[in-house]
Amino acid sequence: MATTRGSAKKRRADGPGDTNPDGVPVLERRDTEKLVGYYRQMVIIRLFEEASQRAFRQGKVGGYLHVYIGQEAVATGFLDAHRPGDKVITAYRDHAHALLLGSTPREVMAELFGKATGLVKGKGGSMHLFDVKNDMMGGYGIVGGHIPLGAGMAYALRYQGTDNIVQLYLGDGAINNGAFHEAANLAGLWGRDGMNPCLFIVENNQYGMGTSVERATAMTDLARKFDSYGIEHEKVDGMDLEAVMECAHRVAARVRETGKPYAVEAITYRIAPHGAADFLERYRTKEEVRKWRERDPIGLLERKLIDYGVEEERLEAIRAEAKEVVDDAVRFADESPEPPLEELYTDVYAEESVDASREASAARR
């Protein structure tokens, strides 16, 4: 079962086909098959995150860990609109983005375990996944610190004459950070000349760590914050994969064509705690979590697929197959070697020969 973007990013649910006598849209068979593929991706992400959480509590994961449980539809939907050469940058809740772009479950899990076979040789861990060949330009541990980088990447892409875009993911907590406002201002400014194809994706999961949006900002309509910088925006139900996917393809095409930034606030919810050690969760009630669980994005998609005629046995088989993929990733990470000590000194600086360095220095003089 593939978890890479290979064929996935070429797949798109094209929307409802004909209607039945009651006027209810009926998906064509090929669209249902696409949705089954997305379901498979989302189940792998969910099981991967649950496995990584267990591994953290077993002391196998170095550093800290933030899982994406409950938010799977956001990255799955938006990254379906990714094209080769586009850049993707996000914060520290980054496992799903890497997996969807093409990093394998084995190398991502090994990275979490700090092993030499990891995505960045065990040096980054959970919060700093990086996969340039698949356009994953990093997860970042400093809240809001990656936002200026994403806006700068978007400018660079248009300066180079490409039609590629940047998908810049940020959380609701980061939107109150000064780095966001400085970057959004420049993005809006450069965008007036069609020089900033940056798609801002605000993953509003209702809490910045343990602080609710209502307690963090006087202006709780986060999408409207982009008005200050001349950036158009909209909201989307981040728990509904089909809604996210429709929005993603439409706005990505717009950003690609105009070179102007655009913002989407995806209303979602992290069903899991903020971080793997966040056991008590005194900032939210069990009743609130229970209500949001009723709109679990995987559960919503599962019910749709059954309505569209997909057999429950087939979905069970997909879940079993996904479990095998994740179990294999955990075994691989467990059995992989620790990085050798000399690895501390590799990939620290850009490599340049001594002669070339001296020649460049002489030329500058």
Side-chain angles (χ1 to χ4, degrees):
M1 175 171 47
T3 63
T4 65
R5 76 174 192 274
S7 60
K9 66 179 183 177
K10 297 177 183 175
R11 296 195 303 263
R12 180 184 174 190
D14 297 317
D18 297 328
T19 58
N20 65 20
D22 298 321
V24 178
V26 178
L27 283 188
E28 299 174 5
R29 182 65 182 173
R30 62 180 181 273
D31 296 325
T32 303
E33 289 304 309
K34 291 175 182 178
L35 287 176
V36 169
Y38 300 129
Y39 176 78
R40 180 179 291 109
Q41 291 177 325
M42 290 168 66
V43 169
I44 288 177
I45 293 168
R46 175 66 59 88
L47 295 181
F48 183 97
E49 295 294 59
E50 290 175 348
S52 67
Q53 202 165 37
R54 287 192 298 272
F56 178 88
R57 291 169 182 171
Q58 293 167 353
K60 296 180 179 180
V61 174
Y64 203 36
L65 181 86
H66 306 81
V67 297
Y68 205 62
I69 294 173
Q71 300 178 219
E72 294 91 348
V74 180
T76 303
F78 274 99
L79 289 176
D80 191 61
H82 168 268
R83 290 185 186 175
D86 289 352
K87 305 302 177 187
V88 177
I89 188 168
T90 186
Y92 45 72
R93 207 177 298 276
D94 57 352
H95 308 164
H97 304 78
L99 291 170
L100 288 163
L101 283 168
S103 305
T104 69
R106 279 186 164 196
E107 60 188 349
V108 177
M109 189 65 77
E111 184 59 38
L112 269 54
F113 280 42
K115 297 300 185 67
T117 54
L119 192 60
V120 287
K121 304 178 184 178
K123 297 180 179 182
S126 169
M127 296 193 286
H128 302 99
L129 300 179
F130 215 95
D131 192 353
V132 176
K133 68 181 183 302
N134 284 318
D135 300 321
M136 174 69 172
M137 304 309 289
Y140 289 81
I142 302 300
V143 175
H146 68 295
I147 303 174
L149 300 178
M153 286 179 197
Y155 179 86
L157 289 174
R158 193 48 58 111
Y159 186 82
Q160 292 167 353
T162 76
D163 68 347
N164 291 117
I165 70 172
V166 170
Q167 288 195 19
L168 169 54
Y169 294 80
L170 62 147
D172 51 273
I175 210 165
N176 300 311
N177 191 297
F180 162 75
H181 295 278
E182 294 175 14
N185 180 61
L186 281 176
L189 182 65
W190 293 332
R192 293 191 307 195
D193 298 321
M195 291 295 291
N196 205 254
C198 186
L199 175 53
F200 291 87
I201 302 160
V202 181
E203 299 194 74
N204 182 357
N205 64 14
Q206 314 302 313
Y207 291 92
M209 294 187 69
T211 304
S212 67
V213 171
E214 290 75 14
R215 294 181 61 207
T217 178
M219 175 59 171
T220 58
D221 188 341
L222 304 186
R224 287 182 57 195
K225 289 180 182 284
F226 289 88
D227 283 335
S228 299
Y229 309 111
I231 298 174
E232 295 188 59
H233 53 79
E234 63 184 82
K235 296 177 185 286
V236 69
D237 180 356
M239 307 301 267
D240 185 336
L241 176 67
E242 289 185 287
V244 174
M245 197 163 295
E246 184 282 325
C247 173
H249 281 273
R250 173 171 45 80
V251 301
R254 173 178 177 156
V255 171
R256 200 178 303 280
E257 179 182 352
T258 65
K260 297 179 183 294
Y262 196 85
V264 178
E265 180 186 356
I267 308 299
T268 185
Y269 194 82
R270 55 169 175 78
I271 295 171
H274 166 75
D278 181 15
F279 295 109
L280 299 178
E281 292 194 278
R282 291 176 176 169
Y283 52 87
R284 61 183 186 178
T285 65
K286 292 181 179 179
E287 176 65 14
E288 176 186 308
V289 177
R290 186 192 65 76
K291 286 184 176 179
W292 275 97
R293 278 187 180 277
E294 294 173 0
R295 300 203 71 245
D296 182 315
I298 295 178
L300 289 180
L301 182 55
E302 193 170 279
R303 292 195 289 273
K304 283 186 178 184
L305 289 172
I306 291 171
D307 288 343
Y308 296 155
V310 178
E311 301 82 4
E312 290 189 46
E313 292 77 11
R314 185 178 179 192
L315 299 180
E316 289 175 5
I318 289 172
R319 292 193 292 270
E321 189 180 353
K323 185 177 183 301
E324 290 179 7
V325 170
V326 173
D327 287 348
D328 171 75
V330 173
R331 283 194 299 272
F332 176 80
D334 262 330
E335 296 168 1
S336 291
E338 298 284 342
L341 188 60
E342 56 268 23
E343 193 61 50
L344 281 171
Y345 304 101
T346 66
D347 306 315
V348 179
Y349 300 104
E351 293 185 8
E352 185 179 28
S353 71
V354 174
D355 290 340
S357 178
R358 287 172 177 168
E359 289 174 6
S361 178
R364 286 193 294 270
R365 288 198 296 270

